[in-house]
Amino acid sequence: MPKTLSGDEILQKLMARFPDKVTPKKSPGSTPAHPVIDREHVRPILSFLKSEPELAFNFLADVTAVDYLQLELPEIRERFLVVYQLYSLEHNHRFQVMARVPEGDPRLPSVCDIWASANCGEREAHDMFGIEFEGNPDLRRLLMPEDYPGFPIRKDYPLRGRGERDAFPQYRPGLGTGDIFPEDATGSWSEKANKGSLP
Amino acid sequence: MGIERVFGDKVITTSVQAIATWARKNALWPMPFGTACCAIEMMATLSGRYDMARFGSEVIRFSPRQSDLMIVSGRISIKMMPVLLKIFEQMPEPKWVISMGACASSGGVFDTYTLVQGVDQFLPVHVYIPGCPPRPESLIDAVLKIQEILEGGPLARAPATSSAFAESPSPQGLSPDRPKAGCSQSIAPHAKDPLGG
Amino acid sequence: MSPRQVEEIYRGHAEDPAYQGKHPEPRFFFSEEEEDELGGKKMVLNMGPQHPATHGTLRVLLALDGEKIAAADTEIGFLHTGFEKLAEHMSYHQWITLTDRMNYMSALNNNVGYALAVEELLGLVVPRRAQVLRVILCELSRIGDHVLCAGLQGMDMGAFSLMLWAFERREKLYDIMEAVTGARLTTSYTRIGGLFRDVPPDFAEMVKAFLKNFVPFLGEMEEMTVGNRIFEDRLRGTGKISGEDAMSWGWTGPILRASGVAYDVRKARPYSGYERYDFQVPTQTDGDSWARFIQRIDEMRQSAGIIEQALEDLPDGPVNIENKKVVLPDKTEVFDNIESLIHHFKLIMFGHGAATPRGADVYSATEAPNGELGFYIVSDGDMIPYRIRVRPPSLYNFAVFPRLVQGAMVSDAVAVLSSLNIIAGELDR
């Protein structure tokens, strides 16, 4: 029987089920309150949100992260906050859950086995912020090159980068691919693949 | 690659030069290196209303080996720049480059860690088209200007590098005295001196 | 330490001298059966970022067993621009111009989605005329995106005429866009609190003339493709995905509806007055590329119906709300009287600007042509956002591509890719 609950009702159910583990972040203005949880409780709480029949959040719309280095809020005590946008296709209600990630030890359990769509969002949060998601089957960088030195959307990373955008060879006739792609200098990538040195 | 290789240095082509220039000019095959929004405007230029095929740029083959005009349309990120260089290196000479739109010419609206602030730091560009995105008429105008550039240089000269790109200190270009972004070296000298004569 | 005050700009090479900008090694996830069958060698084929059949700059690596794809891997990020990082350095008003460079096929949907998100943050409701105009322009831009996707799908299958026809339809749409917004492609039409300016007086006639020619065109398109043996055989059965799998992988938009799940943000969480219009949410049952093609044509029909209803519903009135603390004044007034000049000044100079609540975060989703386009905005009281996150529908739509093409032929990979309508600007941001 589909029944749409409001954000406050869902928050109350969550706080009734997990007392003392959920801190509501009261938002000023017209935005609703969202729960902030610690990373130990991420998997139990999110599994509960998916499996509870009245909530039934079977759709994970987005996983992202925010760097709260320059914004001091009392509910958010750590530097990083990973935000999950949940949606229930059956009951048609939305919910947002936020999990704290400390700066010195940026790891968080992955929720890829609960919702498969978490894979991409976690890869991007890892790429942009450096947060390690334990249990993600494919945690590589998504948008930046593999050996990029830095995590761009952190607040202490400069907007204009650190010179990576100028570090290319200029074209001259006779420029070989070994100069453009250094790994090509000793044989092309597809040659290496076809010789069997890749899995 | 080009009729002058057939004849070599010993023969000066005059009336053949005129015919060869006319043929080359009216059959510029573009290599559309389209990445972002400017690529849509380039596709619109190649479509029915603003038909670029009437100027000879009919064959869009996406193969660098078969083209002589590269149209860099759209923003070039640091992941894409080596790909652009590799594709440009694979084009046979003579070749010309149109840098379409603000992002390809100078980085555009996006002064960020990941966008190359103008491909003219690494490639010789012959015509820049401002706009975000430029209208299809601007692209047609740019192709016509390339045709004018083409007519300018004599055909018998061997392909020469322009002075801005002659001495590159190291293959990666990582020495401190590399030319910086937006310097004037990359703009004027090869406007009349296309690669390949 | 504030990145807005002093930018450290390093010239020269990157801090890490070992940085070379490497591409990642591909990681193929083989299914169990495939690993046993692969006795001999397999070849890795690179459909690289420059390829006629990849729409935009994506890289697809196919591990082939003859002509059959044993496994696939993808690499994206070739168009990564740093929109989200730029949002931390530009004001809310300035970032409107960047929104239409994300999904550049349907720029107005991005504009409207972002404006709605900021208005939700600030608690504003725009006047009715602005809402109805936003609906009309969103649907027009949705038609533009779908018709081009269908045309490009045709081009990838070899029916090049479909692409030329699609571009001709888009040209007619560009005429309307240019008259209303001033630009063909990158419109930047909405503002926080309303629209840039009111539409010209013959807007309704222009749109009606467009629709009068468009609906028969859909019939022509169907006549060319439905029942066409080659076209159907190329697309039927490729890239099949069930509704449950699509939901669990985060699919939204027409491709989810083509797998049978009737989820449309316009019906689930109506915004900007969509609840006033009567339209169906079509679904298909097959979930393959053919179903996705037909789904887009059905949705264009629904969009045409919505536009007609909205044109009847268009009231008179202002297009911007009267809140001088948020809405930019009309440019003619700015040059005429001093109050408007001061309001303009106070809104655009850094250090002044619209007052946003400190510590608020809001996620607002709209139905873009590709799916659910979400904006997650965190504000800190300043006129510059603290963080804007764009939930790109193309990213979640593309993530499951390796599984879709497993076991198919190489040419089916092209068919599947074109049916997903991946816009690289939105995928990489």
Side-chain angles (χ1 to χ4, degrees):
Chain A
M1 181 61 205
K3 181 174 178 306
T4 306
L5 302 171
S6 75
D8 292 329
E9 289 169 357
I10 302 174
L11 186 61
Q12 276 165 15
K13 277 187 191 292
L14 190 64
M15 291 182 73
R17 176 76 169 80
F18 292 94
D20 302 328
K21 298 197 177 112
V22 173
T23 316
K25 173 176 171 283
K26 294 183 188 30
S27 278
S30 54
T31 52
H34 303 301
V36 187
I37 61 182
D38 281 325
R39 65 174 163 183
E40 296 83 38
H41 313 302
V42 163
R43 288 189 62 91
I45 291 183
L46 290 177
S47 313
F48 164 71
L49 285 171
K50 181 173 184 193
S51 55
E52 173 75 11
E54 283 183 342
L55 301 177
F57 285 107
N58 57 352
F59 190 83
L60 178 70
D62 196 21
V63 180
T64 183
V66 187
D67 182 357
Y68 275 94
L69 185 69
Q70 284 158 6
L71 186 60
E72 293 285 332
L73 290 175
E75 300 94 352
I76 297 161
R77 298 182 280 269
E78 309 284 357
R79 179 174 175 185
F80 296 115
L81 201 72
V82 171
V83 182
Y84 300 90
Q85 305 287 346
L86 301 170
Y87 180 68
S88 168
L89 279 157
E90 186 193 335
H91 295 296
N92 191 15
H93 45 232
R94 284 189 187 273
F95 200 49
Q96 177 181 319
V97 179
M98 313 204 275
R100 298 184 190 93
V101 178
E103 175 177 0
D105 183 27
R107 290 175 302 115
L108 195 69
S110 160
V111 294
C112 281
D113 49 344
I114 308 179
W115 296 284
S117 58
N119 201 346
C120 261
E122 290 180 351
R123 271 181 78 177
E124 191 180 338
H126 168 72
D127 188 9
M128 294 286 127
F129 289 90
I131 300 174
E132 300 267 337
F133 287 90
E134 299 157 335
N136 189 318
D138 187 17
L139 197 69
R140 293 178 281 174
R141 281 198 181 257
L142 191 70
L143 299 172
M144 307 305 298
E146 176 126 47
D147 55 347
Y148 194 76
F151 299 107
I153 307 189
R154 288 194 179 184
K155 287 290 181 185
D156 49 357
Y157 194 83
L159 173 67
R160 299 190 174 92
R162 295 195 173 117
E164 296 91 358
R165 67 185 188 187
D166 297 323
F168 295 105
Q170 285 184 332
Y171 173 77
R172 57 176 196 277
L175 181 75
T177 47
D179 295 326
I180 304 171
F181 290 107
E183 63 259 26
D184 280 358
T186 54
S188 72
W189 180 86
S190 57
E191 275 175 17
K192 278 193 279 190
N194 293 324
K195 276 197 212 107
S197 70
L198 287 178
Chain B
M1 318 273 188
I3 198 166
E4 53 271 8
R5 299 260 174 129
V6 174
F7 292 117
D9 281 343
K10 307 287 191 298
V11 177
I12 300 175
T13 55
T14 51
S15 52
V16 177
Q17 167 189 325
I19 297 177
T21 310
W22 170 84
R24 232 177 229 163
K25 172 178 92 150
N26 286 318
L28 273 172
W29 288 6
M31 161 80 208
F33 200 86
T35 40
C37 348
C38 282
I40 309 297
E41 286 295 66
M42 183 175 63
M43 289 202 275
T45 314
L46 296 163
S47 299
R49 193 183 274 198
Y50 307 95
D51 186 14
M52 204 150 80
R54 32 186 181 143
F55 300 103
S57 301
E58 166 116 40
V59 178
I60 313 292
R61 282 285 149 83
F62 288 94
S63 166
R65 304 283 185 193
Q66 298 171 9
S67 55
D68 41 12
L69 172 68
M70 167 170 273
I71 307 180
V72 183
S73 52
R75 41 195 193 254
I76 304 289
S77 71
I78 55 176
K79 250 186 169 179
M80 199 66 184
M81 190 69 214
V83 177
L84 173 61
L85 279 173
K86 195 168 182 180
I87 301 255
F88 188 65
E89 183 247 347
Q90 287 174 350
M91 284 169 69
E93 310 218 338
K95 53 192 171 185
W96 295 270
V97 178
I98 291 180
S99 158
M100 177 178 179
C103 291
S105 309
S106 71
V109 207
F110 307 107
D111 187 8
T112 61
Y113 52 93
T114 167
L115 277 198
V116 171
Q117 303 290 300
V119 297
D120 60 349
Q121 302 172 58
F122 311 107
L123 291 183
V125 173
H126 297 93
V127 176
Y128 300 83
I129 316 180
C132 192
R135 283 194 63 103
E137 291 98 334
S138 306
L139 181 58
I140 294 179
D141 188 34
V143 172
L144 293 177
K145 284 207 164 30
I146 293 272
Q147 290 182 352
E148 283 174 42
I149 291 175
L150 224 158
E151 283 180 305
L155 212 60
R157 204 168 45 183
T161 61
S162 84
S163 58
F165 295 89
E167 290 93 32
S168 179
S170 70
Q172 282 285 337
L174 292 179
S175 72
D177 46 9
R178 287 187 54 245
K180 276 177 10 191
C183 60
S184 61
Q185 294 175 359
S186 51
I187 301 176
H190 48 263
K192 286 280 192 290
D193 181 11
L195 281 171
Chain C
M1 177 188 13
S2 163
R4 295 170 201 166
Q5 284 157 9
V6 176
E7 291 285 350
E8 296 170 301
I9 302 171
Y10 293 79
R11 292 204 191 278
H13 53 85
E15 264 188 2
D16 182 356
Y19 168 68
Q20 284 172 341
K22 284 207 302 230
H23 293 273
E25 298 277 330
R27 204 181 287 192
F28 296 108
F29 293 93
F30 292 96
S31 58
E32 301 300 324
E33 311 86 59
E34 294 299 328
E35 256 180 2
D36 294 323
E37 275 174 29
L38 294 169
K41 286 195 213 169
K42 62 188 180 307
M43 188 182 103
V44 177
L45 183 70
N46 177 34
M47 285 173 66
Q50 175 63 28
H51 194 268
T54 62
H55 296 278
T57 51
L58 334 147
R59 183 180 185 210
V60 173
L61 294 136
L62 304 168
L64 296 178
D65 181 23
E67 181 82 13
K68 210 163 74 110
I69 298 173
D73 190 24
T74 59
E75 188 188 343
I76 62 175
F78 292 94
L79 204 59
H80 179 62
T81 319
F83 279 93
E84 304 178 357
K85 183 85 180 172
L86 265 175
E88 299 165 11
H89 298 263
M90 292 177 139
S91 69
Y92 288 97
H93 283 291
Q94 286 177 319
W95 208 69
I96 296 174
T97 56
L98 293 193
T99 49
D100 39 26
R101 276 116 181 124
M102 283 194 289
N103 187 345
Y104 33 80
M105 301 287 204
S106 58
L108 274 158
N109 286 81
N110 300 40
N111 291 345
V112 168
Y114 174 67
L116 283 170
V118 181
E119 284 155 14
E120 196 177 320
L121 181 76
L122 298 173
L124 307 171
V125 177
V126 294
R128 279 275 331 280
R129 185 173 169 85
Q131 285 185 349
V132 178
L133 281 174
R134 280 179 179 179
V135 164
I136 297 176
L137 290 167
C138 267
E139 294 303 316
L140 280 175
S141 140
R142 188 189 314 273
I143 284 179
D145 195 335
H146 282 323
V147 80
L148 190 62
C149 175
L152 288 176
Q153 231 178 320
M155 180 180 87
D156 283 345
M157 296 301 107
F160 194 68
S161 317
L162 280 182
M163 183 193 111
L164 292 175
W165 291 2
F167 264 106
E168 183 54 38
R169 287 299 120 194
R170 266 184 80 90
E171 290 290 337
K172 305 242 182 323
L173 205 62
Y174 283 163
D175 288 339
I176 303 179
M177 297 296 181
E178 214 175 354
V180 170
T181 71
R184 284 157 53 107
L185 193 64
T186 51
T187 49
S188 301
Y189 185 55
T190 56
R191 299 285 183 264
I192 316 295
L195 301 171
F196 167 42
R197 60 183 183 194
D198 206 345
V199 290
D202 57 346
F203 176 66
E205 283 85 43
M206 279 197 296
V207 177
K208 284 194 180 107
F210 171 75
L211 284 179
K212 198 159 76 77
N213 288 327
F214 182 71
V215 180
F217 167 74
L218 282 180
E220 277 179 22
M221 204 169 206
E222 276 189 321
E223 211 179 293
M224 281 275 278
T225 53
V226 177
N228 184 334
R229 186 63 200 277
I230 298 176
F231 199 78
E232 273 202 37
D233 280 355
R234 281 295 299 269
L235 289 177
R236 268 195 200 278
T238 59
K240 213 172 160 76
I241 192 169
S242 68
E244 290 82 33
D245 278 343
M247 275 193 314
S248 91
W249 278 97
W251 273 24
T252 50
I255 55 178
L256 178 67
R257 297 194 276 277
S259 295
V261 180
Y263 168 53
D264 189 335
V265 184
R266 297 174 290 177
K267 286 277 195 200
R269 306 218 127 201
Y271 54 92
S272 192
Y274 266 106
E275 59 270 10
R276 304 162 61 91
Y277 309 117
D278 175 35
F279 62 99
Q280 266 88 46
V281 176
T283 55
Q284 317 288 330
T285 46
D286 288 333
D288 56 4
S289 308
W290 178 248
R292 298 192 269 268
F293 179 76
I294 295 295
Q295 172 71 22
R296 290 201 168 93
I297 297 187
D298 285 345
E299 296 212 353
M300 284 196 269
R301 287 217 169 84
Q302 297 297 322
S303 292
I306 297 177
I307 297 176
E308 280 167 10
Q309 294 173 43
L311 280 175
E312 304 294 318
D313 194 35
L314 187 64
D316 293 323
V319 290
N320 284 326
I321 56 177
E322 286 298 318
N323 187 346
K324 293 214 178 350
K325 297 263 186 299
V326 171
V327 177
L328 286 169
D330 199 29
K331 213 50 171 184
T332 51
E333 287 179 31
V334 168
F335 297 135
D336 276 347
N337 60 56
I338 192 71
E339 293 91 15
S340 297
L341 182 65
I342 294 177
H343 285 128
H344 180 84
F345 177 90
K346 284 194 89 61
L347 278 172
I348 66 168
M349 297 302 283
F350 288 122
H352 303 262
T356 50
R358 183 175 185 277
D361 58 317
V362 71
Y363 176 79
S364 150
T366 56
E367 179 80 15
N370 271 350
E372 175 182 323
L373 176 69
F375 286 90
Y376 176 65
I377 303 182
V378 179
S379 73
D380 63 347
D382 203 357
M383 65 183 281
I384 301 177
Y386 187 75
R387 164 106 167 100
I388 295 187
R389 149 81 180 174
V390 182
R391 188 252 181 213
S394 301
L395 181 69
Y396 288 92
N397 294 352
F398 187 57
V400 74
F401 180 77
R403 268 165 226 261
L404 283 178
V405 298
Q406 214 164 25
M409 308 276 199
V410 174
S411 39
D412 293 339
V414 172
V416 171
L417 189 57
S418 61
S419 74
L420 294 179
N421 197 20
I422 308 296
I423 311 286
E426 187 178 55
L427 181 71
D428 295 337
R429 279 153 292 125

